[in-house]
Amino acid sequence: MKALVVNCGSSSVKYALFEMDEEQKIAWGLIERIGLPEAYYKRQIINAEEKKEVIKVKNHTEAIELVIEELLDRKAGSITDINEIAVVGHRIVHGGDKFSKSVLVTEEVKKDLKNCFSIAPLHTPAHYAGIVAVEKMLPGIPSVLVFDTAFHQTMPDYAYMYALPYEFYEKDHIRRYGFHGTSHNYVSQRAAKMLGKPLNKLNLITAHLGNGSSITAIEKGRVVDTSMGFTPLQGVVMGTRCGDIDSAIIAYLLDKYSQYKKGSVLNDLLNKKSGLAGISGISGDMRAIIQAVGEGNKRAELAFNMLTYSIKKYIGAYYGILNGVDGLVFTAGIGENSAPVRESVCKNLSVLGIEIDIKKNSECSDEERFISAKKSKVKVMIIPTNEELMIARESKRVC
Ligand code: AMP
């Protein structure tokens, strides 16, 4: 059977078609800058050359139409009939407290999703548009929603509540939700395979470190805490996001600077101009930061140190709440590729039984692998994440 995975962002659509019998990705691509005069379309079919094009794509409906046309292309397509697609899996960033697991799309589910618009206004309307476009282009083919927040729904209330007046939880559903759940779920399953033990016998800390980063504490297969919160802004220092700050700073900025009275301007400051970019004044991209550190740039060094220090603090805290850890996993762009970040994070953690082998850590590879030293009590692993495959698996399971 084939499963199509669709990821609709505010101005982009990413897709991947899987042959699920072998769990092989057979076609994939992305359309960016939707709604702008020149959209950018890149697509690829397995064993074929990548195609790139600048075109006009007005909205998500047109983008999905393009994707389906491309998949059906008589010369170069990967399917001959839409009915070869058994299920479509949609990545949904925020399920609020309404969705605790993947669900089949029904009219009722669509209505519930619409009620989640206000909680992630940049993402959810785009997801919704994608669902409607898929229904139009692939009538009768089931769609499944897979939520970034779902894996974290096992957190106990004392971990997900904020100590605000209780009515804000009741009325506005303000609580910690956590994100990157599909990735944390995938790598925890892979870690269990690598460690040769069932997931429900393991305690893990998974560090998804990319442009956005989150750390998760997983006790016997169930999330007990995660660093991101009500939105993906909370937690460790990120590329352009500030992570944890004293919330009184917000009130201070609002009172002092008139331009921040508008929520969107303040949101921009915290989400797009902070983190590595805000501290270094150079970039939110870790590669640029590491290069600048090498050239002796002190603010880049400070940004690097702040980021790795904030990750280390979460690892220490989660080690404590888990009362011991079997495995520490690094994943996503930085986690998979940046040896200096991993080395800095794991430095001086031998008291927790976390020790990495510097040589193994510095070797480049696309494979999942151990980087812990022989004597390390905690096994340290690099596991390339695969959120698309996880969504395809979930969709197949649910439909
Ligand atoms: P992601 O959001 O998972 O795509 O990760 C993006 C982040 O990974 C960016 O900060 C990149 O600079 C970082 N990254 C990707 N490759 C490398 C690399 N080889 N070394 C250091 N950072 C990297």
Side-chain angles (χ1 to χ4, degrees):
M1 73 171 281
K2 290 188 178 71
L4 176 64
V5 174
V6 174
N7 180 355
C8 290
S10 48
S11 62
S12 69
V13 170
K14 292 190 191 128
Y15 70 94
L17 183 69
F18 283 87
E19 179 50 77
M20 291 308 287
D21 298 337
E22 299 98 38
E23 292 200 331
Q24 186 177 35
K25 188 154 85 164
I26 52 177
W28 60 96
L30 66 90
I31 302 167
E32 286 175 319
R33 298 162 58 85
I34 293 170
L36 293 174
E38 291 185 332
Y40 172 73
Y41 187 17
K42 187 168 86 175
R43 66 267 210 209
Q44 185 148 22
I45 293 172
I46 194 164
N47 300 328
E49 251 182 52
E50 187 178 79
K51 276 167 64 182
K52 294 177 190 167
E53 219 178 331
V54 174
I55 41 171
K56 199 168 161 61
V57 182
K58 264 202 303 228
N59 50 37
H60 287 80
T61 311
E62 282 193 9
I64 298 286
E65 278 172 16
L66 249 168
V67 170
I68 306 298
E69 276 167 23
E70 182 72 21
L71 293 174
L72 281 167
D73 184 85
R74 259 199 292 144
K75 279 202 211 116
S78 4
I79 52 171
T80 51
D81 188 300
I82 54 166
N83 289 308
E84 285 176 47
I85 299 173
V87 63
V88 182
H90 294 264
R91 178 198 177 207
I92 309 290
V93 167
H94 210 314
D97 54 4
K98 193 79 210 167
F99 298 102
S100 56
K101 53 183 190 301
S102 309
V103 288
L104 198 63
V105 173
T106 60
E107 287 309 310
E108 183 82 21
V109 162
K110 276 164 45 190
K111 216 160 76 197
D112 287 340
L113 190 66
K114 262 191 156 173
N115 288 333
C116 294
F117 274 17
S118 63
I119 215 168
L122 285 181
H123 293 99
T124 321
H127 298 329
Y128 191 87
I131 295 163
V132 173
V134 163
E135 280 179 338
K136 184 175 156 226
M137 290 300 293
L138 302 175
I141 295 171
S143 275
V144 171
L145 307 187
V146 182
F147 299 91
D148 270 15
T149 44
F151 187 53
H152 301 299
Q153 286 284 314
T154 50
M155 277 184 286
D157 51 6
Y158 51 80
Y160 71 66
M161 286 299 289
Y162 293 110
L164 292 167
Y166 197 76
E167 71 237 39
F168 290 104
Y169 168 63
E170 289 181 307
K171 239 182 30 208
D172 298 302
H173 311 284
I174 293 178
R175 50 157 284 186
R176 181 190 303 278
Y177 289 100
F179 297 86
H180 300 133
T182 314
S183 175
H184 289 290
N185 189 0
Y186 176 80
V187 299
S188 65
Q189 291 183 16
R190 293 304 313 160
K193 285 252 158 44
M194 285 174 75
L195 295 168
K197 277 191 181 170
L199 196 49
N200 64 11
K201 297 251 163 14
L202 291 168
N203 283 353
L204 300 170
I205 297 176
T206 49
H208 176 112
L209 310 178
N211 282 323
S213 300
S214 62
I215 321 287
T216 295
I218 305 172
E219 186 178 45
K220 304 187 180 9
R222 291 166 67 83
V223 172
V224 289
D225 207 347
T226 189
S227 60
M228 280 180 168
F230 179 57
T231 75
L233 181 60
Q234 199 185 347
V236 299
V237 174
M238 299 175 231
T240 60
R241 291 175 230 170
C242 59
D244 299 328
I245 57 169
D246 179 347
S247 24
I249 295 170
I250 312 281
Y252 180 83
L253 291 175
L254 278 170
D255 283 346
K256 185 155 184 205
Y257 299 101
S258 57
Q259 71 263 38
Y260 296 133
K261 294 255 169 346
K262 222 170 150 207
S264 58
V265 180
L266 190 53
N267 242 333
D268 244 39
L269 176 80
L270 304 172
N271 277 289
K272 298 189 180 156
K273 298 189 175 139
S274 300
L276 291 179
I279 293 295
S280 70
I282 295 172
S283 169
D285 190 292
M286 184 49 92
R287 283 165 290 203
I289 296 297
I290 288 175
Q291 189 182 332
V293 172
E295 289 160 2
N297 186 303
K298 288 290 163 207
R299 271 173 56 190
E301 190 180 334
L302 173 63
F304 179 92
N305 288 341
M306 286 173 71
L307 181 134
T308 56
Y309 178 71
S310 69
I311 297 166
K312 202 186 199 88
K313 280 206 287 192
Y314 272 97
I315 292 174
Y318 288 171
Y319 192 99
I321 62 166
L322 289 168
N323 192 20
V325 169
D326 301 291
L328 167 64
V329 179
F330 286 100
T331 192
I334 297 173
E336 291 167 30
N337 298 302
S338 181
V341 169
R342 292 188 301 260
E343 185 177 338
S344 171
V345 166
C346 293
K347 201 171 170 187
N348 294 333
L349 284 183
S350 56
V351 68
L352 302 183
I354 298 174
E355 287 177 86
I356 59 168
D357 179 318
I358 299 296
K359 187 165 169 290
K360 282 186 195 158
N361 181 49
S362 60
E363 283 161 4
C364 290
S365 162
D366 292 337
E367 303 290 315
E368 46 192 38
R369 59 205 184 274
F370 289 101
I371 56 164
S372 34
K374 269 211 182 87
K375 60 185 173 189
S376 182
K377 273 203 278 185
V378 176
K379 300 290 175 218
V380 186
M381 293 158 268
I382 298 172
I383 303 183
T385 194
N386 197 339
E387 288 160 289
E388 287 170 339
L389 175 59
M390 197 69 205
I391 294 170
R393 278 184 190 160
E394 274 293 283
S395 308
K396 180 180 169 192
R397 184 183 65 76
V398 170
C399 82

